[in-house]
Amino acid sequence: MENKIKGNKLLQILKKYGYYAMAFVLVLGITLAIVFSAVPSPNMDEETPPTDTTPIVFSLPVNSPNVIKWYSDSELMFNDTLKQWESHMAVDLTSDSSDVFAVLGGVVTDVENSYEYGTVITITHEDGFVSKYSSLNETTEVTISDKVEAGDKIGTMSASASNEQLSGEHLHFELFKDGEKVDPANYLTLSDK
């Protein structure tokens, strides 16, 4: 008898509210049909452009470079000129030739003279790279907005950086990736002096 009462109550609830449930399911189905018909389906016939998988190859900034000071962001290095310990987030290079070259193709975005770093050339490259060449001679081969290719001569080394004058004629080379300084030795083939 108890099952019969429960069955009757369920039947009464379905009779009373069943239309609302059916109406809700119908409206939900129509809404989903409209939404999915508005979303464009991917066209499998369209070709996606090929991804450039060519590796970026850096040229050397000087011929036959010798490293006189390595990049270091974790260990302090002694600066003979300033007589102090400091991080050195660049590589200092010397060479038998004083010519300095662009490491990648790009656009010269700055040429400035700084008491601390001497003449500085900044080149912006693709893929988020920026290269910075310091301690250069005042006479440069490039000006702001010049386009350069990898290996193009941009200037010559000097001892113009007052913060590293005791290092003599050299190139203070910095490399940035997506706005952060990175170790140039990860991209260039370098050896000790």
Side-chain angles (χ1 to χ4, degrees):
M1 171 108 167
E2 196 175 301
N3 281 342
K4 191 173 184 184
I5 294 172
K6 284 183 182 177
N8 285 340
K9 282 186 180 180
L10 181 61
L11 191 56
Q12 288 174 352
I13 291 171
L14 284 175
K15 283 182 183 178
K16 187 174 183 180
Y17 297 107
Y19 297 108
Y20 295 116
M22 286 179 33
F24 173 76
V25 170
L26 183 61
V27 169
L28 180 63
I30 292 170
T31 304
L32 289 175
I34 291 171
V35 168
F36 286 120
S37 68
V39 175
S41 62
N43 187 351
M44 297 302 177
D45 295 335
E46 289 182 18
E47 287 187 34
T48 55
T51 305
D52 185 10
T53 57
T54 307
I56 298 173
V57 179
F58 287 78
S59 294
L60 292 172
V62 296
N63 288 325
S64 304
N66 293 309
V67 178
I68 57 172
K69 195 178 248 186
W70 290 96
Y71 176 98
S72 177
D73 61 351
S74 58
E75 292 182 30
L76 296 178
M77 300 181 122
F78 191 73
N79 182 319
D80 293 327
T81 303
L82 300 177
K83 306 289 186 227
Q84 67 184 22
W85 291 91
E86 61 187 9
S87 62
H88 189 258
M89 296 176 68
V91 290
D92 289 348
L93 305 171
T94 61
S95 175
D96 292 337
S97 168
S98 61
D99 293 340
V100 175
F101 308 98
V103 294
L104 286 173
V107 177
V108 177
T109 49
D110 199 11
V111 178
E112 64 178 315
N113 290 306
S114 158
Y115 176 75
E116 186 177 12
Y117 292 102
T119 300
V120 180
I121 295 174
T122 303
I123 301 175
T124 301
H125 312 281
E126 292 184 356
D127 297 318
F129 285 102
V130 174
S131 56
K132 200 170 210 179
Y133 311 76
S134 304
S135 191
L136 300 178
N137 190 304
E138 283 185 31
T139 305
T140 64
E141 304 289 325
V142 294
T143 58
I144 294 174
S145 76
D146 282 355
K147 290 183 181 179
V148 294
E149 296 297 324
D152 285 354
K153 182 178 175 183
I154 60 172
T156 55
M157 291 185 283
S158 74
S160 64
S162 67
N163 67 342
E164 294 181 335
Q165 272 190 329
L166 293 181
S167 295
E169 184 179 277
H170 72 285
L171 170 65
H172 180 87
F173 180 72
E174 296 172 89
L175 189 62
F176 299 80
K177 172 70 169 134
D178 299 325
E180 301 289 325
K181 283 188 180 181
V182 294
D183 186 351
N186 293 335
Y187 302 91
L188 305 173
T189 304
L190 301 171
S191 63
D192 283 317
K193 183 178 182 180

